[in-house]
Amino acid sequence: MIELASGLIYRPAHFSRAEQEDLVAAIRGVVRAAPLFTPAMPRTGKEFSVRMTNCGPLGWMSDRDGGYRYQELHPETGERWPAIPEALLALWRDVAGIDAPPEACLVNFYAAGARMGLHVDGDEKEPRAPVVSVSLGASCLFRFGGTKRNDPTKSTRLESGDLVVIGGASRLCFHGVDRLYPGTSTLLPNDSRLNLTLRRVNPA
Ligand code: MD3
Ligand code: FE
């Protein structure tokens, strides 16, 4: 357990290879029910390089006209999101430190070359709940800073099986994924990466 910053807990290799394979199988089931979609920036409509889907009662999305939001229905199928896999609910109970279940699990799919610019996860209304993050597949260079966009940043490499719990003073800090490292995934094909984030959206 490493505290990268106040409230930012990093657990390298939290998940065994077998656990990672089971998570990938569960997420394949999620993607079958709720296909990956390409979010777009509010107003400009510029597409993200990361594709996404969700499981849980709520899912995060963004498009040009509606902006960043959580909603109950998949933007393309119009169906409810599938359930959060039990292993991820158990993870949340173990590490979240709050007596209310997660409402959303955002599934980020990074094909080779995809990245995520610096941003704050600010669409959740329960400040006591952390964001719980699981990385699978290719390694990436992750960057995090302070609560202001221009605060200095630190970089760290995230690898398959790593767990990050973002709570406390780090919950509203800027962060992003600068790049993926090719040739580092034996779990997923084509140098791709999955990141799963469990979130409490509404007040507990
Ligand atoms: C550090 N995902 O979906 S998760 C996101 O790897 C997102 O796909 C990244 O940022 C990914 O919103 C990183 C880990 C994470 C999340 C929030 C943080 C790290 C954080 C907030 C502050 C500092
Ligand atoms: Fe984020």
Side-chain angles (χ1 to χ4, degrees):
M1 198 280 262
I2 300 168
E3 191 163 15
L4 293 171
S6 177
L8 184 60
I9 308 299
Y10 174 46
R11 291 170 67 88
H14 177 83
F15 292 100
S16 70
R17 174 74 189 203
E19 290 170 327
Q20 293 174 49
E21 288 171 356
D22 289 349
L23 285 170
V24 169
I27 295 305
R28 285 194 199 285
V30 167
V31 171
R32 266 195 300 279
L36 294 167
F37 61 89
T38 302
M41 293 294 289
R43 295 180 296 282
T44 64
K46 183 179 162 48
E47 290 187 339
F48 288 41
S49 59
V50 178
R51 290 192 293 153
M52 298 181 174
T53 189
N54 293 268
C55 45
L58 292 172
W60 188 88
M61 67 162 288
S62 178
D63 59 19
R64 189 189 57 178
D65 296 335
Y68 300 160
R69 62 194 185 275
Y70 283 94
Q71 64 179 43
E72 293 174 356
L73 304 180
H74 189 287
E76 292 170 2
T77 68
E79 305 234 39
R80 291 188 188 283
W81 308 101
I84 298 175
E86 179 52 38
L88 293 171
L89 295 174
L91 172 69
W92 177 271
R93 288 193 294 269
D94 284 350
V95 305
I98 181 167
D99 190 21
E103 295 170 290
C105 175
L106 174 60
V107 177
N108 291 150
F109 177 78
Y110 293 76
R115 50 185 296 283
M116 188 177 285
L118 271 190
H119 68 277
V120 172
D121 293 10
D123 302 319
E124 301 80 19
K125 293 172 288 187
E126 177 44 273
R128 293 168 299 177
V131 171
V132 174
S133 159
V134 178
S135 292
L136 297 167
S139 303
C140 74
L141 185 64
F142 177 77
R143 190 144 62 103
F144 62 94
T147 55
K148 295 190 290 286
R149 180 172 288 279
N150 292 326
D151 286 341
T153 60
K154 289 183 180 167
S155 293
T156 182
R157 186 174 164 130
L158 291 181
E159 298 185 347
S160 194
D162 291 355
L163 173 67
V164 185
V165 181
I166 307 101
S170 288
R171 180 64 184 76
L172 295 177
C173 285
F174 279 85
H175 59 280
V177 172
D178 286 341
R179 60 176 298 239
L180 267 56
Y181 292 100
T184 56
S185 177
T186 57
L187 189 71
L188 297 173
N190 305 122
D191 298 323
S192 63
R193 172 173 187 264
L194 280 171
N195 178 266
L196 317 176
T197 45
L198 296 161
R199 296 142 185 272
R200 179 78 202 177
V201 179
N202 293 122

